[in-house]
Structure formats: structure tokens, C-alpha cells
Amino acid sequence: MKKVALITGITGQDGAYLAEYLLKLGYEVHGIKRRASLFNTDRIDHLYQDPHDENRRLFLHYGDMTDSMNLTRIIQEVQPDEIYNLAAMSHVKVSFDTPEYTANADGIGTLRILEAVRLLGLTEKTRIYQASTSELYGLVQEVPQRESTPFYPRSPYAVAKLYGYWITVNYREAYGMHASNGILFNHESPLRGETFVTRKITRAVAKIALGQQDKLFLGNLSAKRDWGHAKDYVRAMHAILQQPEGSDYVIATGITTTVRDFVKLSFKNVGITVDFKNEGVDEVGVISGIDEVMFIARVGAEYLEASKALIGQEVVRVDPAYFRPTEVELLIGDPTKSKTVLGWEPEYDLEGLCEDMIISDVKLMKKDAFLKEGGYKTLNYFE
Ligand code: NAP
Ligand code: G4F
């Protein structure tokens, strides 16, 4: 029997990778997307199937995490075996500007899904994955962070996700539901939203290498994150729902890196060496050399002459506008449980992740070529 999955947040980074992964596994996939004034399905357009196709296995439904009746109706219609609750206002800095909405969509939104499953009498049938986050650890109480590490959220986003985490645990314990939290550490990809720090960096590096941008302004360069690849992390989400019982799992690489070092690595990926000098808000990143072979391979010989003129140029600066009122300085996860129980192993390391993002962004910034090839529609993420 074909399994049926419902993904909230299917138009996001993880939703797109997960939808493709589940379709490849033979699932019928339903996704909830928000109505927007422009198309917002770029990341999943390559999976789109004509509504008249009799063998269609991807279905999209309009909906919103703040609308209980809508969510309940969709779950009633779809009768899913598995729900992946990925929809959220997921930007930590923005959550300080929109705290009430974030609490509603990310916190109460999770309750709406759980309660709909319960009210519809689907507690035996439907397994639920909740997209929990390493942001729950916030002001970290233990290094590395594991499933038993106490939480100390540091943003309206993390506080909303704290509610989502505990209401998921509560429904599991109170009603015997197969409901699980994936406590995922930061995961990135070529599909990452442009305002998260890794993608902001890889896009800017590609543009600087192509002569389209002069400078990259960043906030806290010393923040440390445990960065993995979203492709690896969606495999873990699926594995969590295949376990006999619901439970909570840390998904992480166990390695942490500063934002500063991710900047250096990204430039290195296009053959540009960047050194940092000064401290605090006066810290700057300056180009000190070009590896011509690497530059030509990654960017193109036609851009080499112009790039040589960049040596000695200041290309990174700190802008305090990107500082957060309360910061999460260090995240590093201990993935022992997910490795032993789920058998989960990531395929990408940080170098592989950064390379994947840089290659994609250089291609994307060479816009004409990219659009001629059909943009995202030409990409099969799991091939
Ligand atoms: P993302 O790219 O920002 O995608 C979020 C998705 O949620 C998008 O499809 C978005 O729709 C949708 N959405 C937002 N508000 C909604 C609402 N009110 N109703 C319905 N849909 C809504 O996030 P992601 O990186 O894929 O992350 C997926 C989930 O994992 C999120 O819950 C995030 O908080 C959590 N998480 C992410 C990470 C990470 O490092 N990526 C780590 C831990 C946990 P639009 O496309 O219309 O905006
Ligand atoms: O890329 P970020 O915005 O991700 P953040 O805040 O860690 O949150 C992401 O990961 C969480 C998992 O831990 C998810 F739950 C959440 O949904 C989201 O996907 O920022 C990473 C770090 C922060 O310390 C930030 O202060 O980079 C620092 N940073 C420095 N300059 C910057 C910038 N972040 C952004 N977005 N933009 C900057 O210019």
C-alpha cells in the first residue's frame, strides 16, 4: 500500500527536499502552501505534476498554520499516514520583529496539527514529525548539546518552538500518539533562504567573484554553528517516523564553525583568500590572494583579470544592524542517539556543503545561463 504523507511548509528548503525524497520512496505527497501574490513554488516546480495526470502523486493544498479549520479539513481529506510539520516563521532575527505572529504560527500551529489528528480520530493511524530546533538550547547549558540538555531559548522564535516541542511530547504521553521531535541543528543547501547567514555569504561571494557586488555586511562573525546539509537532514526526518515508537532526536554533525570561518571557506571555494583583521565592529575581511586555477575552475577565465584587481580590497564588514537583542553564541550537537537508533549518517561535511552552495550560487548569479537552463526546474536534488 502506498503511504500518504502531508508536509506543512512544502515550499520551504526542507519541504522541497523532503517532498522529492518521499516521492522517490513511492509516497503520495500532499503539501500545504500559503496563498501569495506571486508564485512561491520555485523550490518544488520540478516536482509539479499536471492535475489531470492520473498517476499524480504530488498534491498541493492552500492553507496556513494560523487557521485551525483549514488545517483540520486538509487532514480530514488527506487522511495522512505521516505528517511532517515543517511550516514556520523560521527566521530568528525576524521573530524579534513579529513575536506574536511567530508564537501563533510556530507554537500554536503545532498544537493545531496535533489536536486536529486527535479530534479526527487519527491518533492510531497518523504519525507526526515536529520540526524542533537547536535554537531551543540557546544559552547553552551543556557542550555538546544532546537530547537531555536543558533548554534556554533566546528569541521569540525559540520560545515558540519550545511550546511546539513540549506540546508534541505531551500529546505523545497523554494520548499515546506517535509524535516525535527532530531537534535539528542548522542545515543549509543551495535552496536555503537568502537571508540566513550561509546563503547570504555564498550568494555574496559568487557576486563578488563575478564583479557584481563590492562588499558583504554581516553581524556577529564569532557565532558558532553546527552546519549540515538539508539533504541529509530530511532523510533523518523520515527515519524518525519509521521507528516503532515516537521519540525525540538530535540531528547534528558534531562539528562547530564560526561565521568568520564559513566566510573564509566560501571565498576559498572560488579561489579567493580572505584574511580578517581588527576586532568587534571594526573587523574587516580583506582579499590577500587568488588561486588562479581554482578561480578559473569555479568562476571562469573571463572573470580572472578583474578579480586580480580585488587583491587588497576590503570585502567583508560588520554592520551592527544584524546583531540580535539576545544571541545564541555556540551550537554543537551530539548525534549519538540518531546514529545508533536511526542508523543515520550524514553524507556531506562542511566542505562538501559549502562547495555545493558556492557552485550553485555562481551558476545562479550567471543569471542568463541559469534561466536559459530553466532555473530550479532543471534541478533534481537527489541526483
Ligand atoms: P523555510 O525555508 O523558512 O520554510 C518554511 C516553510 O514554512 C515555507 O514553506 C513557508 O511558506 C512555510 N510557512 C511559514 N509560515 C507559514 C504559515 N503561517 N502557514 C503555512 N506555511 C507557513 O524553513 P526550513 O529551513 O525549510 O525549515 C523547516 C522547518 O524546520 C521550520 O519549522 C524551521 O523552523 C525548522 N528548523 C530549521 C532548521 C534549519 O537549519 N533549516 C533547523 C531546525 C529547525 P512560504 O514559502 O510561503 O514562505
Ligand atoms: O543563519 P542564521 O540566521 O541562523 P540561526 O539564527 O542559527 O537560525 C537557523 O537555524 C536554527 C537552528 O539552530 C533554525 F531553527 C532556524 O529556523 C534557522 O534556520 O544565523 C546564524 C548565525 C547567528 O548567530 C547570527 O547572529 O549567524 C549570525 N550572523 C552573523 N551575521 C548572521 C549574520 N545571521 C544572519 N541571518 N545574517 C547576518 O548577516
Side-chain angles (χ1 to χ4, degrees):
M1 281 288 283
K2 185 167 59 183
K3 277 196 191 172
V4 177
L6 174 64
I7 303 174
T8 72
I10 194 168
T11 56
Q13 169 189 254
D14 293 3
Y17 282 116
L18 181 65
E20 182 174 320
Y21 184 63
L22 295 179
L23 287 169
K24 278 201 158 57
L25 293 179
Y27 277 68
E28 177 176 303
V29 175
H30 294 255
I32 299 182
K33 67 164 183 170
R34 294 192 282 188
R35 191 270 160 181
S37 63
L38 291 170
F39 287 129
N40 60 353
T41 53
D42 275 13
R43 291 180 175 114
I44 52 169
D45 280 349
H46 67 297
L47 303 173
Y48 178 80
Q49 289 168 305
D50 190 285
H52 308 100
D53 181 344
E54 281 180 14
N55 300 317
R56 187 154 78 114
R57 286 194 290 118
L58 176 67
F59 301 84
L60 296 180
H61 307 258
Y62 282 111
D64 198 291
M65 293 305 292
T66 60
D67 183 341
S68 306
M69 284 187 281
N70 155 268
L71 293 173
T72 307
R73 179 184 51 74
I74 293 170
I75 294 170
Q76 185 179 35
E77 276 172 25
V78 172
Q79 297 278 309
D81 298 298
E82 298 171 6
I83 297 178
Y84 296 86
N85 183 32
L86 309 186
M89 201 308 287
S90 70
H91 202 284
V92 172
K93 175 84 160 57
V94 175
S95 78
F96 287 97
D97 300 328
T98 59
E100 182 183 344
Y101 171 73
T102 305
N104 192 0
D106 299 13
I108 308 296
T110 309
L111 172 67
R112 292 185 179 105
I113 297 283
L114 291 159
E115 185 63 1
V117 168
R118 192 175 80 86
L119 290 176
L120 292 168
L122 293 170
T123 51
E124 293 294 318
K125 175 183 169 71
T126 307
R127 298 180 172 196
I128 300 174
Y129 172 88
Q130 166 60 12
S132 284
T133 164
S134 50
E135 281 291 309
L136 295 172
Y137 298 118
L139 187 62
V140 297
Q141 304 292 296
E142 187 179 23
V143 178
Q145 295 86 52
R146 48 179 69 91
E147 289 79 4
S148 56
T149 303
F151 298 137
Y152 194 136
R154 293 271 280 175
S155 62
Y157 166 78
V159 174
K161 284 283 186 178
L162 185 76
Y163 180 84
Y165 173 93
W166 281 116
I167 199 68
T168 300
V169 173
N170 182 245
Y171 270 57
R172 179 169 75 223
E173 293 175 352
Y175 306 117
M177 287 166 68
H178 194 300
S180 301
N181 286 288
I183 309 171
L184 271 54
F185 283 62
N186 298 52
H187 45 282
E188 321 292 312
S189 75
L191 299 187
R192 185 59 145 149
E194 293 89 344
T195 60
F196 295 98
V197 78
T198 55
R199 188 77 199 290
K200 181 173 169 182
I201 293 167
T202 58
R203 275 171 58 93
V205 166
K207 284 187 165 193
I208 290 169
L210 291 165
Q212 299 174 5
Q213 183 173 326
D214 298 328
K215 241 181 217 75
L216 165 63
F217 290 92
L218 291 169
N220 181 4
L221 295 170
S222 299
K224 288 181 159 181
R225 288 292 182 275
D226 179 331
W227 280 299
H229 198 302
K231 263 187 188 180
D232 286 330
Y233 286 45
V234 301
R235 286 193 290 105
M237 294 177 188
H238 175 255
I240 288 171
L241 291 200
Q242 309 319 304
Q243 300 309 303
E245 304 287 339
S247 188
D248 310 311
Y249 299 86
V250 160
I251 308 296
T253 69
I255 293 168
T256 194
T257 308
T258 60
V259 170
R260 183 182 301 104
D261 283 342
F262 191 85
V263 172
K264 285 182 170 183
L265 184 62
S266 301
F267 275 107
K268 193 174 153 216
N269 261 283
V270 289
I272 297 176
T273 304
V274 165
D275 298 326
F276 280 90
K277 56 183 192 188
N278 306 334
E279 282 183 9
V281 291
D282 297 322
E283 188 167 357
V284 289
V286 177
I287 295 186
S288 63
I290 310 276
D291 172 342
E292 296 192 9
V293 176
M294 186 69 161
F295 188 92
I296 290 169
R298 286 284 159 79
V299 187
E302 64 272 39
Y303 301 97
L304 183 63
E305 271 319 300
S307 81
K308 286 184 187 161
L310 292 175
I311 295 175
Q313 295 279 318
E314 189 184 286
V315 283
V316 184
R317 272 203 90 85
V318 172
D319 180 348
Y322 297 110
F323 292 164
R324 290 154 188 205
T326 38
E327 173 64 295
V328 173
E329 293 289 349
L330 162 72
L331 290 174
I332 177 167
D334 175 357
T336 305
K337 179 177 175 187
S338 57
K339 290 194 174 198
T340 51
V341 178
L342 304 176
W344 176 79
E345 285 293 338
E347 287 175 9
Y348 285 82
D349 59 11
L350 187 72
E351 282 70 26
L353 166 67
C354 188
E355 182 182 306
D356 196 24
M357 294 177 74
I358 282 286
I359 289 173
S360 170
D361 274 332
V362 170
K363 193 170 163 188
L364 183 60
M365 298 312 157
K366 290 179 179 175
K367 272 201 184 101
D368 288 348
F370 184 75
L371 294 177
K372 225 179 271 167
E373 288 171 19
Y376 286 125
K377 291 186 187 71
T378 62
L379 303 176
N380 283 310
Y381 310 138
F382 279 91
E383 279 166 9

